[in-house]
Amino acid sequence: GRRQGRILDRILNCMIYPFSPTTRTLMTKDIKTFLRDTTQWSQRFLLLALVVVYLYNFKVLPLDRSPIPTSTLRTVISFTNLALAGFVLSAVAVRFAFPAVSLEGKALWILQTSPISLRSMLWSKFWLNVLPLLFFGELLVFFSNMLLDVPQWMMGLSLVTIFLLTFGITAIGVGVGAIYPKFDYDHVAEIPTSFGGAICMVLSVAFVGAVVILEAWPAYLLAMEGLNPGTLRVPEFWVIAPSLAAVSVLTIAAVIIPLKSGLKKLEALKNQ
């Protein structure tokens, strides 16, 4: 009862300590609401099952039977896995990040009349979703690459790419969710299946595709270096750096544009 509540409060305070007091208050409210919603438990079990099946598939891949050298094949599969992990993150974000604003329901009008700014509310939704999605995405990529036994450069590229992808995908989810809110719903599952949910999924997949395209050529060069050592005359980092810089710029745009657009839509609703 009360003791468990105090323990939960202490854990939450430690987790969200770096944020501002207003953001911490909003995040605490959303976390407690999420934990008390029994309809969400089935989604958590499905995510756990997804992780197990996802990683198991990499463990049983018959790589030794392929005519392509095993080391090169592992690198190719690992790079393909970046796109696959991005699509999985997009689907999870549509289910959890996109409905974040809509779940406020009538309480949103209370927030609009309170001293709490809509900007703080929107950013609290972003941080609340980006942290678990980041953990989920990095977990998938790290362990799948461990099972594939990929080179160090591929492991580093995968972890950094998923880090950037998660920020962009989450911002698209929260921002588009604010642009196309659905406050009149009978069940939470109706929100992701709305028109806005489809737009969110399309934009997220397009973002993932753009990132993969930007990194394809340097990944190909490094994979060929593993197949024919000595073809590259520069360190691995300098081959990857330009594409990572381009992906970083794209990610910044993917974070700022949807959240700014979502904030403008919420402010327009407030003035109506």
Side-chain angles (χ1 to χ4, degrees), residues 126-177:
F126 170 76
W127 288 113
L128 185 62
N129 283 279
V130 80
L131 295 177
L133 279 176
L134 184 60
F135 175 78
F136 176 70
E138 296 286 4
L139 180 76
L140 283 182
V141 169
F142 177 77
F143 283 106
S144 58
N145 280 346
M146 287 287 290
L147 292 171
L148 288 170
D149 192 22
V150 299
Q152 290 185 356
W153 68 264
M154 190 64 226
M155 176 67 85
L157 177 65
S158 298
L159 295 177
V160 172
T161 301
I162 286 297
F163 178 86
L164 296 172
L165 278 176
T166 305
F167 274 79
I169 289 170
T170 306
I172 291 171
V174 175
V176 176

Side-chain angles (χ1 to χ4, degrees), residues 110 171 193 201 203 243:
I110 299 175
T193 57
M201 192 65 191
L203 291 176
S243 64

